[in-house]
mmCIF file of all heavy atoms in Angstrom:
data_model
loop_
_atom_site.group_PDB
_atom_site.id
_atom_site.type_symbol
_atom_site.label_atom_id
_atom_site.label_comp_id
_atom_site.label_asym_id
_atom_site.label_seq_id
_atom_site.Cartn_x
_atom_site.Cartn_y
_atom_site.Cartn_z
ATOM 1 N N ARG V 1132 -0.777 1.498 17.343
ATOM 2 C CA ARG V 1132 -1.495 2.150 16.242
ATOM 3 C C ARG V 1132 -2.949 1.691 16.189
ATOM 4 O O ARG V 1132 -3.771 2.300 15.526
ATOM 5 C CB ARG V 1132 -0.825 1.840 14.900
ATOM 6 C CG ARG V 1132 0.434 2.629 14.667
ATOM 7 C CD ARG V 1132 0.870 2.578 13.218
ATOM 8 N NE ARG V 1132 1.250 1.250 12.791
ATOM 9 C CZ ARG V 1132 2.484 0.764 12.836
ATOM 10 N NH1 ARG V 1132 3.471 1.502 13.311
ATOM 11 N NH2 ARG V 1132 2.728 -0.449 12.421
ATOM 12 N N GLY V 1133 -3.253 0.597 16.854
ATOM 13 C CA GLY V 1133 -4.627 0.107 16.894
ATOM 14 C C GLY V 1133 -4.904 -1.075 15.991
ATOM 15 O O GLY V 1133 -5.981 -1.659 16.047
ATOM 16 N N PHE V 1134 -3.955 -1.430 15.139
ATOM 17 C CA PHE V 1134 -4.137 -2.541 14.208
ATOM 18 C C PHE V 1134 -2.810 -3.257 14.012
ATOM 19 O O PHE V 1134 -1.781 -2.609 13.903
ATOM 20 C CB PHE V 1134 -4.546 -2.052 12.805
ATOM 21 C CG PHE V 1134 -5.739 -1.159 12.772
ATOM 22 C CD1 PHE V 1134 -5.589 0.214 12.698
ATOM 23 C CD2 PHE V 1134 -7.010 -1.689 12.811
ATOM 24 C CE1 PHE V 1134 -6.682 1.048 12.650
ATOM 25 C CE2 PHE V 1134 -8.115 -0.866 12.774
ATOM 26 C CZ PHE V 1134 -7.959 0.499 12.693
ATOM 27 N N VAL V 1135 -2.853 -4.582 13.918
ATOM 28 C CA VAL V 1135 -1.667 -5.256 13.387
ATOM 29 C C VAL V 1135 -1.672 -4.947 11.895
ATOM 30 O O VAL V 1135 -2.722 -4.692 11.296
ATOM 31 C CB VAL V 1135 -1.675 -6.784 13.665
ATOM 32 C CG1 VAL V 1135 -1.536 -7.066 15.142
ATOM 33 C CG2 VAL V 1135 -2.883 -7.460 13.086
ATOM 34 N N ASN V 1136 -0.532 -4.921 11.287
ATOM 35 C CA ASN V 1136 -0.429 -4.469 9.906
ATOM 36 C C ASN V 1136 -1.312 -5.254 8.944
ATOM 37 O O ASN V 1136 -1.885 -4.687 8.017
ATOM 38 C CB ASN V 1136 1.024 -4.488 9.441
ATOM 39 C CG ASN V 1136 1.860 -3.470 10.197
ATOM 40 O OD1 ASN V 1136 1.339 -2.518 10.761
ATOM 41 N ND2 ASN V 1136 3.155 -3.673 10.229
ATOM 42 N N ALA V 1137 -1.437 -6.538 9.158
ATOM 43 C CA ALA V 1137 -2.255 -7.354 8.267
ATOM 44 C C ALA V 1137 -3.731 -6.969 8.319
ATOM 45 O O ALA V 1137 -4.476 -7.241 7.375
ATOM 46 C CB ALA V 1137 -2.101 -8.829 8.614
ATOM 47 N N LYS V 1138 -4.155 -6.315 9.381
ATOM 48 C CA LYS V 1138 -5.568 -5.968 9.567
ATOM 49 C C LYS V 1138 -5.857 -4.476 9.386
ATOM 50 O O LYS V 1138 -6.936 -4.018 9.743
ATOM 51 C CB LYS V 1138 -6.037 -6.408 10.966
ATOM 52 C CG LYS V 1138 -5.873 -7.881 11.244
ATOM 53 C CD LYS V 1138 -6.809 -8.685 10.388
ATOM 54 C CE LYS V 1138 -6.673 -10.160 10.752
ATOM 55 N NZ LYS V 1138 -7.475 -11.022 9.940
ATOM 56 N N ILE V 1139 -4.919 -3.717 8.844
ATOM 57 C CA ILE V 1139 -5.177 -2.298 8.617
ATOM 58 C C ILE V 1139 -6.330 -2.194 7.619
ATOM 59 O O ILE V 1139 -6.257 -2.734 6.513
ATOM 60 C CB ILE V 1139 -3.938 -1.571 8.053
ATOM 61 C CG1 ILE V 1139 -2.783 -1.607 9.048
ATOM 62 C CG2 ILE V 1139 -4.284 -0.126 7.687
ATOM 63 C CD1 ILE V 1139 -1.477 -1.053 8.498
ATOM 64 N N PRO V 1140 -7.407 -1.502 7.999
ATOM 65 C CA PRO V 1140 -8.538 -1.360 7.071
ATOM 66 C C PRO V 1140 -8.144 -0.540 5.843
ATOM 67 O O PRO V 1140 -7.304 0.360 5.940
ATOM 68 C CB PRO V 1140 -9.596 -0.608 7.887
ATOM 69 C CG PRO V 1140 -9.120 -0.584 9.289
ATOM 70 C CD PRO V 1140 -7.656 -0.860 9.281
ATOM 71 N N PRO V 1141 -8.736 -0.832 4.694
ATOM 72 C CA PRO V 1141 -8.385 -0.100 3.474
ATOM 73 C C PRO V 1141 -8.487 1.420 3.631
ATOM 74 O O PRO V 1141 -7.652 2.148 3.099
ATOM 75 C CB PRO V 1141 -9.396 -0.615 2.440
ATOM 76 C CG PRO V 1141 -9.780 -1.966 2.936
ATOM 77 C CD PRO V 1141 -9.723 -1.881 4.440
ATOM 78 N N GLY V 1142 -9.449 1.903 4.377
ATOM 79 C CA GLY V 1142 -9.613 3.330 4.560
ATOM 80 C C GLY V 1142 -8.517 3.979 5.392
ATOM 81 O O GLY V 1142 -8.333 5.191 5.364
ATOM 82 N N LYS V 1143 -7.771 3.191 6.143
ATOM 83 C CA LYS V 1143 -6.686 3.704 6.990
ATOM 84 C C LYS V 1143 -5.306 3.436 6.388
ATOM 85 O O LYS V 1143 -4.299 3.873 6.928
ATOM 86 C CB LYS V 1143 -6.740 3.039 8.372
ATOM 87 C CG LYS V 1143 -7.965 3.356 9.181
ATOM 88 C CD LYS V 1143 -7.767 4.668 9.858
ATOM 89 C CE LYS V 1143 -8.891 4.922 10.838
ATOM 90 N NZ LYS V 1143 -8.723 6.184 11.507
ATOM 91 N N LEU V 1144 -5.269 2.723 5.285
ATOM 92 C CA LEU V 1144 -3.987 2.288 4.725
ATOM 93 C C LEU V 1144 -3.065 3.459 4.393
ATOM 94 O O LEU V 1144 -1.887 3.448 4.734
ATOM 95 C CB LEU V 1144 -4.234 1.434 3.479
ATOM 96 C CG LEU V 1144 -3.073 0.601 3.002
ATOM 97 C CD1 LEU V 1144 -2.576 -0.336 4.089
ATOM 98 C CD2 LEU V 1144 -3.465 -0.195 1.790
ATOM 99 N N ARG V 1145 -3.583 4.494 3.754
ATOM 100 C CA ARG V 1145 -2.748 5.646 3.401
ATOM 101 C C ARG V 1145 -2.273 6.412 4.636
ATOM 102 O O ARG V 1145 -1.217 7.023 4.617
ATOM 103 C CB ARG V 1145 -3.503 6.603 2.472
ATOM 104 C CG ARG V 1145 -3.713 6.032 1.104
ATOM 105 C CD ARG V 1145 -2.408 5.919 0.388
ATOM 106 N NE ARG V 1145 -2.620 5.417 -0.964
ATOM 107 C CZ ARG V 1145 -1.668 5.261 -1.822
ATOM 108 N NH1 ARG V 1145 -0.439 5.561 -1.496
ATOM 109 N NH2 ARG V 1145 -1.919 4.795 -3.007
ATOM 110 N N GLU V 1146 -3.044 6.359 5.701
ATOM 111 C CA GLU V 1146 -2.639 7.024 6.946
ATOM 112 C C GLU V 1146 -1.428 6.330 7.568
ATOM 113 O O GLU V 1146 -0.484 6.980 8.009
ATOM 114 C CB GLU V 1146 -3.804 7.022 7.929
ATOM 115 C CG GLU V 1146 -3.496 7.633 9.274
ATOM 116 C CD GLU V 1146 -4.672 7.544 10.227
ATOM 117 O OE1 GLU V 1146 -5.816 7.369 9.787
ATOM 118 O OE2 GLU V 1146 -4.423 7.644 11.445
ATOM 119 N N PHE V 1147 -1.455 5.002 7.593
ATOM 120 C CA PHE V 1147 -0.388 4.243 8.231
ATOM 121 C C PHE V 1147 0.747 3.890 7.278
ATOM 122 O O PHE V 1147 1.844 3.556 7.722
ATOM 123 C CB PHE V 1147 -0.935 2.963 8.852
ATOM 124 C CG PHE V 1147 -1.883 3.217 9.987
ATOM 125 C CD1 PHE V 1147 -3.203 2.809 9.913
ATOM 126 C CD2 PHE V 1147 -1.468 3.876 11.127
ATOM 127 C CE1 PHE V 1147 -4.089 3.045 10.947
ATOM 128 C CE2 PHE V 1147 -2.344 4.122 12.169
ATOM 129 C CZ PHE V 1147 -3.659 3.705 12.083
ATOM 130 N N CYS V 1148 0.490 3.948 5.982
ATOM 131 C CA CYS V 1148 1.482 3.557 4.980
ATOM 132 C C CYS V 1148 1.586 4.616 3.881
ATOM 133 O O CYS V 1148 1.313 4.340 2.711
ATOM 134 C CB CYS V 1148 1.095 2.222 4.359
ATOM 135 S SG CYS V 1148 0.819 0.894 5.525
ATOM 136 N N PRO V 1149 1.954 5.842 4.239
ATOM 137 C CA PRO V 1149 2.036 6.888 3.212
ATOM 138 C C PRO V 1149 3.215 6.646 2.267
ATOM 139 O O PRO V 1149 4.222 6.074 2.651
ATOM 140 C CB PRO V 1149 2.250 8.152 4.032
ATOM 141 C CG PRO V 1149 2.947 7.685 5.266
ATOM 142 C CD PRO V 1149 2.379 6.314 5.551
ATOM 143 N N LEU V 1150 3.042 7.076 1.032
ATOM 144 C CA LEU V 1150 4.107 6.958 0.037
ATOM 145 C C LEU V 1150 4.548 8.348 -0.410
ATOM 146 O O LEU V 1150 3.731 9.256 -0.525
ATOM 147 C CB LEU V 1150 3.612 6.204 -1.199
ATOM 148 C CG LEU V 1150 3.329 4.723 -1.038
ATOM 149 C CD1 LEU V 1150 2.705 4.179 -2.315
ATOM 150 C CD2 LEU V 1150 4.599 3.971 -0.712
ATOM 151 N N ASP V 1151 5.841 8.490 -0.677
ATOM 152 C CA ASP V 1151 6.307 9.714 -1.307
ATOM 153 C C ASP V 1151 6.136 9.553 -2.820
ATOM 154 O O ASP V 1151 5.657 8.521 -3.292
ATOM 155 C CB ASP V 1151 7.754 10.020 -0.913
ATOM 156 C CG ASP V 1151 8.745 8.954 -1.350
ATOM 157 O OD1 ASP V 1151 8.351 8.019 -2.089
ATOM 158 O OD2 ASP V 1151 9.912 9.048 -0.960
ATOM 159 N N GLU V 1152 6.506 10.562 -3.584
ATOM 160 C CA GLU V 1152 6.314 10.509 -5.036
ATOM 161 C C GLU V 1152 7.067 9.342 -5.670
ATOM 162 O O GLU V 1152 6.549 8.675 -6.563
ATOM 163 C CB GLU V 1152 6.751 11.820 -5.671
ATOM 164 C CG GLU V 1152 5.785 12.954 -5.432
ATOM 165 C CD GLU V 1152 6.210 14.216 -6.157
ATOM 166 O OE1 GLU V 1152 6.682 14.112 -7.309
ATOM 167 O OE2 GLU V 1152 6.066 15.292 -5.556
ATOM 168 N N ALA V 1153 8.282 9.105 -5.224
ATOM 169 C CA ALA V 1153 9.080 8.009 -5.791
ATOM 170 C C ALA V 1153 8.434 6.658 -5.488
ATOM 171 O O ALA V 1153 8.399 5.764 -6.338
ATOM 172 C CB ALA V 1153 10.505 8.051 -5.245
ATOM 173 N N GLY V 1154 7.906 6.514 -4.290
ATOM 174 C CA GLY V 1154 7.216 5.275 -3.928
ATOM 175 C C GLY V 1154 5.971 5.058 -4.761
ATOM 176 O O GLY V 1154 5.688 3.938 -5.195
ATOM 177 N N GLU V 1155 5.214 6.130 -5.008
ATOM 178 C CA GLU V 1155 4.023 6.042 -5.863
ATOM 179 C C GLU V 1155 4.405 5.609 -7.276
ATOM 180 O O GLU V 1155 3.750 4.748 -7.866
ATOM 181 C CB GLU V 1155 3.295 7.387 -5.913
ATOM 182 C CG GLU V 1155 2.526 7.735 -4.672
ATOM 183 C CD GLU V 1155 1.241 6.941 -4.499
ATOM 184 O OE1 GLU V 1155 0.832 6.179 -5.405
ATOM 185 O OE2 GLU V 1155 0.643 7.078 -3.419
ATOM 186 N N ARG V 1156 5.466 6.194 -7.803
ATOM 187 C CA ARG V 1156 5.902 5.830 -9.156
ATOM 188 C C ARG V 1156 6.307 4.362 -9.223
ATOM 189 O O ARG V 1156 5.957 3.659 -10.171
ATOM 190 C CB ARG V 1156 7.063 6.712 -9.613
ATOM 191 C CG ARG V 1156 6.635 8.092 -10.059
ATOM 192 C CD ARG V 1156 7.754 8.821 -10.788
ATOM 193 N NE ARG V 1156 9.001 8.887 -10.039
ATOM 194 C CZ ARG V 1156 9.302 9.834 -9.146
ATOM 195 N NH1 ARG V 1156 8.453 10.802 -8.908
ATOM 196 N NH2 ARG V 1156 10.456 9.820 -8.532
ATOM 197 N N ARG V 1157 7.020 3.910 -8.223
ATOM 198 C CA ARG V 1157 7.467 2.517 -8.222
ATOM 199 C C ARG V 1157 6.275 1.566 -8.151
ATOM 200 O O ARG V 1157 6.204 0.584 -8.881
ATOM 201 C CB ARG V 1157 8.417 2.250 -7.068
ATOM 202 C CG ARG V 1157 8.900 0.805 -7.076
ATOM 203 C CD ARG V 1157 10.052 0.596 -6.185
ATOM 204 N NE ARG V 1157 11.214 1.217 -6.823
ATOM 205 C CZ ARG V 1157 12.438 1.051 -6.404
ATOM 206 N NH1 ARG V 1157 12.680 0.314 -5.361
ATOM 207 N NH2 ARG V 1157 13.443 1.641 -7.004
ATOM 208 N N LEU V 1158 5.333 1.869 -7.273
ATOM 209 C CA LEU V 1158 4.164 1.014 -7.145
ATOM 210 C C LEU V 1158 3.298 1.067 -8.404
ATOM 211 O O LEU V 1158 2.754 0.040 -8.822
ATOM 212 C CB LEU V 1158 3.354 1.426 -5.916
ATOM 213 C CG LEU V 1158 2.815 0.313 -5.047
ATOM 214 C CD1 LEU V 1158 3.802 -0.808 -4.803
ATOM 215 C CD2 LEU V 1158 2.327 0.856 -3.727
ATOM 216 N N ASN V 1159 3.192 2.237 -9.020
ATOM 217 C CA ASN V 1159 2.449 2.342 -10.279
ATOM 218 C C ASN V 1159 3.118 1.519 -11.368
ATOM 219 O O ASN V 1159 2.435 0.940 -12.217
ATOM 220 C CB ASN V 1159 2.317 3.801 -10.712
ATOM 221 C CG ASN V 1159 1.336 4.554 -9.851
ATOM 222 O OD1 ASN V 1159 0.463 3.967 -9.218
ATOM 223 N ND2 ASN V 1159 1.480 5.865 -9.808
ATOM 224 N N GLY V 1160 4.430 1.457 -11.350
ATOM 225 C CA GLY V 1160 5.156 0.616 -12.299
ATOM 226 C C GLY V 1160 4.804 -0.846 -12.133
ATOM 227 O O GLY V 1160 4.636 -1.574 -13.110
ATOM 228 N N LEU V 1161 4.646 -1.284 -10.901
ATOM 229 C CA LEU V 1161 4.250 -2.668 -10.649
ATOM 230 C C LEU V 1161 2.830 -2.926 -11.139
ATOM 231 O O LEU V 1161 2.521 -4.009 -11.627
ATOM 232 C CB LEU V 1161 4.354 -2.991 -9.153
ATOM 233 C CG LEU V 1161 5.755 -3.067 -8.574
ATOM 234 C CD1 LEU V 1161 5.695 -3.274 -7.065
ATOM 235 C CD2 LEU V 1161 6.543 -4.195 -9.222
ATOM 236 N N GLN V 1162 1.959 -1.934 -11.020
ATOM 237 C CA GLN V 1162 0.583 -2.100 -11.480
ATOM 238 C C GLN V 1162 0.524 -2.303 -12.988
ATOM 239 O O GLN V 1162 -0.332 -3.032 -13.480
ATOM 240 C CB GLN V 1162 -0.268 -0.907 -11.063
ATOM 241 C CG GLN V 1162 -0.577 -0.935 -9.583
ATOM 242 C CD GLN V 1162 -1.352 0.277 -9.123
ATOM 243 O OE1 GLN V 1162 -1.123 1.380 -9.593
ATOM 244 N NE2 GLN V 1162 -2.253 0.055 -8.196
ATOM 245 N N ARG V 1163 1.434 -1.682 -13.713
ATOM 246 C CA ARG V 1163 1.479 -1.894 -15.166
ATOM 247 C C ARG V 1163 1.815 -3.341 -15.482
ATOM 248 O O ARG V 1163 1.503 -3.841 -16.561
ATOM 249 C CB ARG V 1163 2.493 -0.962 -15.819
ATOM 250 C CG ARG V 1163 2.002 0.469 -15.921
ATOM 251 C CD ARG V 1163 2.888 1.281 -16.845
ATOM 252 N NE ARG V 1163 4.275 1.308 -16.427
ATOM 253 C CZ ARG V 1163 4.830 2.264 -15.683
ATOM 254 N NH1 ARG V 1163 4.102 3.282 -15.279
ATOM 255 N NH2 ARG V 1163 6.094 2.217 -15.362
ATOM 256 N N LEU V 1164 2.433 -4.031 -14.533
ATOM 257 C CA LEU V 1164 2.760 -5.442 -14.722
ATOM 258 C C LEU V 1164 1.629 -6.356 -14.251
ATOM 259 O O LEU V 1164 1.781 -7.569 -14.220
ATOM 260 C CB LEU V 1164 4.048 -5.794 -13.966
ATOM 261 C CG LEU V 1164 5.302 -5.061 -14.424
ATOM 262 C CD1 LEU V 1164 6.473 -5.406 -13.514
ATOM 263 C CD2 LEU V 1164 5.628 -5.422 -15.859
ATOM 264 N N GLY V 1165 0.493 -5.751 -13.875
ATOM 265 C CA GLY V 1165 -0.659 -6.562 -13.499
ATOM 266 C C GLY V 1165 -0.908 -6.668 -12.006
ATOM 267 O O GLY V 1165 -1.639 -7.545 -11.566
ATOM 268 N N LEU V 1166 -0.341 -5.769 -11.216
ATOM 269 C CA LEU V 1166 -0.555 -5.778 -9.771
ATOM 270 C C LEU V 1166 -1.998 -5.369 -9.474
ATOM 271 O O LEU V 1166 -2.444 -4.303 -9.891
ATOM 272 C CB LEU V 1166 0.419 -4.810 -9.097
ATOM 273 C CG LEU V 1166 0.442 -4.756 -7.583
ATOM 274 C CD1 LEU V 1166 0.996 -6.061 -7.021
ATOM 275 C CD2 LEU V 1166 1.296 -3.596 -7.112
ATOM 276 N N SER V 1167 -2.717 -6.214 -8.777
ATOM 277 C CA SER V 1167 -4.104 -5.900 -8.432
ATOM 278 C C SER V 1167 -4.145 -4.909 -7.272
ATOM 279 O O SER V 1167 -3.140 -4.679 -6.593
ATOM 280 C CB SER V 1167 -4.845 -7.175 -8.029
ATOM 281 O OG SER V 1167 -4.331 -7.671 -6.801
ATOM 282 N N ALA V 1168 -5.311 -4.334 -7.021
ATOM 283 C CA ALA V 1168 -5.475 -3.410 -5.896
ATOM 284 C C ALA V 1168 -5.176 -4.124 -4.581
ATOM 285 O O ALA V 1168 -4.548 -3.562 -3.681
ATOM 286 C CB ALA V 1168 -6.886 -2.838 -5.884
ATOM 287 N N ARG V 1169 -5.592 -5.353 -4.473
ATOM 288 C CA ARG V 1169 -5.327 -6.135 -3.259
ATOM 289 C C ARG V 1169 -3.829 -6.355 -3.066
ATOM 290 O O ARG V 1169 -3.301 -6.228 -1.957
ATOM 291 C CB ARG V 1169 -6.059 -7.474 -3.342
ATOM 292 C CG ARG V 1169 -5.938 -8.308 -2.104
ATOM 293 C CD ARG V 1169 -6.771 -9.552 -2.238
ATOM 294 N NE ARG V 1169 -6.599 -10.386 -1.060
ATOM 295 C CZ ARG V 1169 -7.012 -11.608 -0.965
ATOM 296 N NH1 ARG V 1169 -7.655 -12.172 -1.971
ATOM 297 N NH2 ARG V 1169 -6.807 -12.303 0.124
ATOM 298 N N SER V 1170 -3.138 -6.657 -4.148
ATOM 299 C CA SER V 1170 -1.687 -6.841 -4.081
ATOM 300 C C SER V 1170 -0.992 -5.532 -3.719
ATOM 301 O O SER V 1170 -0.035 -5.523 -2.949
ATOM 302 C CB SER V 1170 -1.141 -7.357 -5.409
ATOM 303 O OG SER V 1170 -1.655 -8.642 -5.686
ATOM 304 N N HIS V 1171 -1.476 -4.435 -4.267
ATOM 305 C CA HIS V 1171 -0.950 -3.110 -3.950
ATOM 306 C C HIS V 1171 -1.026 -2.876 -2.443
ATOM 307 O O HIS V 1171 -0.045 -2.474 -1.811
ATOM 308 C CB HIS V 1171 -1.765 -2.066 -4.717
ATOM 309 C CG HIS V 1171 -1.429 -0.656 -4.395
ATOM 310 N ND1 HIS V 1171 -1.978 0.012 -3.327
ATOM 311 C CD2 HIS V 1171 -0.610 0.221 -5.016
ATOM 312 C CE1 HIS V 1171 -1.513 1.236 -3.296
ATOM 313 N NE2 HIS V 1171 -0.679 1.399 -4.306
ATOM 314 N N ASP V 1172 -2.189 -3.143 -1.848
ATOM 315 C CA ASP V 1172 -2.368 -2.966 -0.408
ATOM 316 C C ASP V 1172 -1.447 -3.880 0.384
ATOM 317 O O ASP V 1172 -0.863 -3.482 1.385
ATOM 318 C CB ASP V 1172 -3.821 -3.218 -0.006
ATOM 319 C CG ASP V 1172 -4.767 -2.153 -0.514
ATOM 320 O OD1 ASP V 1172 -4.294 -1.157 -1.118
ATOM 321 O OD2 ASP V 1172 -5.985 -2.315 -0.318
ATOM 322 N N ARG V 1173 -1.288 -5.095 -0.090
ATOM 323 C CA ARG V 1173 -0.431 -6.051 0.605
ATOM 324 C C ARG V 1173 1.030 -5.593 0.590
ATOM 325 O O ARG V 1173 1.741 -5.712 1.590
ATOM 326 C CB ARG V 1173 -0.559 -7.431 -0.019
ATOM 327 C CG ARG V 1173 0.346 -8.451 0.669
ATOM 328 C CD ARG V 1173 -0.064 -9.842 0.352
ATOM 329 N NE ARG V 1173 -0.912 -10.247 1.478
ATOM 330 C CZ ARG V 1173 -1.848 -11.153 1.418
ATOM 331 N NH1 ARG V 1173 -2.108 -11.745 0.290
ATOM 332 N NH2 ARG V 1173 -2.534 -11.486 2.475
ATOM 333 N N VAL V 1174 1.481 -5.037 -0.532
ATOM 334 C CA VAL V 1174 2.852 -4.516 -0.628
ATOM 335 C C VAL V 1174 3.061 -3.426 0.427
ATOM 336 O O VAL V 1174 4.079 -3.396 1.121
ATOM 337 C CB VAL V 1174 3.161 -3.987 -2.047
ATOM 338 C CG1 VAL V 1174 4.439 -3.171 -2.071
ATOM 339 C CG2 VAL V 1174 3.241 -5.142 -3.031
ATOM 340 N N LEU V 1175 2.079 -2.525 0.561
ATOM 341 C CA LEU V 1175 2.184 -1.459 1.560
ATOM 342 C C LEU V 1175 2.243 -2.021 2.976
ATOM 343 O O LEU V 1175 3.020 -1.552 3.809
ATOM 344 C CB LEU V 1175 1.003 -0.490 1.428
ATOM 345 C CG LEU V 1175 0.981 0.371 0.175
ATOM 346 C CD1 LEU V 1175 -0.280 1.217 0.155
ATOM 347 C CD2 LEU V 1175 2.213 1.231 0.075
ATOM 348 N N LYS V 1176 1.448 -3.028 3.250
ATOM 349 C CA LYS V 1176 1.433 -3.624 4.596
ATOM 350 C C LYS V 1176 2.756 -4.323 4.906
ATOM 351 O O LYS V 1176 3.262 -4.232 6.033
ATOM 352 C CB LYS V 1176 0.267 -4.595 4.732
ATOM 353 C CG LYS V 1176 -1.079 -3.892 4.742
ATOM 354 C CD LYS V 1176 -2.225 -4.890 4.741
ATOM 355 C CE LYS V 1176 -3.560 -4.186 4.655
ATOM 356 N NZ LYS V 1176 -4.685 -5.144 4.705
ATOM 357 N N VAL V 1177 3.317 -4.996 3.922
ATOM 358 C CA VAL V 1177 4.611 -5.658 4.126
ATOM 359 C C VAL V 1177 5.700 -4.611 4.351
ATOM 360 O O VAL V 1177 6.551 -4.765 5.237
ATOM 361 C CB VAL V 1177 4.955 -6.590 2.939
ATOM 362 C CG1 VAL V 1177 6.398 -7.065 3.018
ATOM 363 C CG2 VAL V 1177 4.018 -7.782 2.923
#
């Protein structure tokens, strides 16, 4: 893919880690608990 997962640039994150509607809802739920944007990206990479 051109990147190890830990090094996926923010601009490519949605390309390599797409979410369906249910995934978006779940991640948005975590953000209500104080998940930062950086943590959000890290969850997708993991």
Side-chain angles (χ1 to χ4, degrees):
R1132 283 195 295 268
F1134 306 99
V1135 293
N1136 294 339
K1138 302 292 183 183
I1139 297 173
K1143 295 278 188 180
L1144 196 57
R1145 290 292 182 178
E1146 178 183 340
F1147 295 118
C1148 306
L1150 290 174
D1151 62 7
E1152 286 184 40
E1155 286 286 353
R1156 282 193 306 273
R1157 181 166 287 190
L1158 223 43
N1159 287 338
L1161 290 175
Q1162 286 177 323
R1163 285 193 302 265
L1164 298 175
L1166 185 68
S1167 68
R1169 184 176 177 191
S1170 296
H1171 174 275
D1172 291 356
R1173 179 163 264 154
V1174 167
L1175 291 177
K1176 291 174 184 182
V1177 169

